[in-house]
Amino acid sequence: MKITPLAIPDVLLIQPEIVGDERGFFFESYSQRQFDALIGRRISFVQDNHSRSVKNVLRGLHYQIRQSQGKLVRVVQGEIFDVAVDIRKSSPTFGQWVGTRLSAQNRHQLWVPEGFAHGFVVLSDVAECLYKVNDYYAPEHERIIAWDDADIGIDWPLRGEPVLSAKDKTGIRLADAEVFA
């Protein structure tokens, strides 16, 4: 497994070692021991999530102000552009974002730690995402930052307007959001 810190070093791109031949391929998508060693701390995942979305669906930017969730995201069908926004007020990268393409073809994963807002847009006709989280979903603590907040300036690879849920349409600017200390 190869780990590459992105422009915000706490967000990690994970590339598995893939063994393949004419029969197909095999890779270890997750190893607790290896993951903990690579990120330098013990993580206990408590829930696996699976989402399916169609082209131009944009989910996010979501976070939980309490019971903050670290997320290990991967795509098993299609392609997405996955984004993490640092919302830790004391961080030197507060308000900055990083993004990367995750696809069934590249088999990359993204570690989005606690203290970040997370979102993605679907680039293919359909995409299915799997992600592990290290705390349970707590709707009473969920917050949403507007996907198009000009102060953050995410360069979404979109043509036209994204398809948003009613909930995601309620996102607010980072400047007005409840964030982490």
Side-chain angles (χ1 to χ4, degrees):
M1 204 175 283
K2 178 183 173 189
I3 301 285
T4 306
L6 298 183
I8 300 174
D10 294 329
V11 181
L12 304 173
L13 182 66
I14 301 169
Q15 297 167 274
E17 291 181 32
I18 300 165
V19 178
D21 59 26
E22 67 280 352
R23 299 169 300 153
F25 68 86
F26 172 86
F27 70 95
E28 213 172 68
S29 64
Y30 178 75
S31 162
Q32 180 81 51
R33 178 179 33 220
Q34 209 174 11
F35 185 75
D36 290 350
L38 291 169
I39 68 164
R41 64 183 171 113
R42 174 91 177 152
I43 298 289
S44 295
F45 291 110
V46 299
Q47 185 174 308
D48 283 353
N49 299 324
H50 187 149
S51 72
R52 182 180 193 277
S53 306
V54 297
K55 188 175 188 112
N56 288 331
V57 165
L58 193 149
R59 295 182 183 269
L61 299 161
H62 302 152
Y63 65 101
Q64 291 182 179
I65 197 64
R66 289 183 192 75
Q67 292 179 238
S68 183
Q69 294 177 312
K71 298 176 181 178
L72 182 60
V73 184
R74 70 187 182 107
V75 173
V76 295
Q77 179 184 358
E79 182 178 27
I80 66 171
F81 183 70
D82 205 18
V83 172
V85 178
D86 190 345
I87 57 171
R88 303 168 297 172
K89 193 74 166 170
S90 61
S91 171
T93 55
F94 175 75
Q96 295 179 27
W97 67 276
V98 291
T100 192
R101 289 175 184 253
L102 302 179
S103 70
Q105 186 174 20
N106 70 23
R107 298 179 189 95
H108 294 172
Q109 298 179 59
L110 190 66
W111 167 243
V112 180
E114 304 89 335
F116 284 76
H118 174 254
F120 65 85
V121 66
V122 177
L123 304 176
S124 53
D125 289 337
V126 172
E128 291 196 29
C129 302
L130 302 177
Y131 52 102
K132 296 179 169 305
V133 294
N134 66 346
D135 209 337
Y136 295 102
Y137 176 60
E140 68 276 17
H141 301 306
E142 184 177 34
R143 304 292 185 269
I144 302 167
I145 295 171
W147 69 275
D148 59 351
D149 184 335
D151 292 338
I152 299 171
I154 298 170
D155 186 16
W156 296 101
L158 275 168
R159 285 194 176 152
E161 289 296 309
V163 178
L164 301 171
S165 69
K167 180 172 72 171
D168 286 345
K169 289 178 183 177
T170 69
I172 62 174
R173 294 178 56 237
L174 177 59
D176 301 323
E178 188 177 3
V179 296
F180 298 95

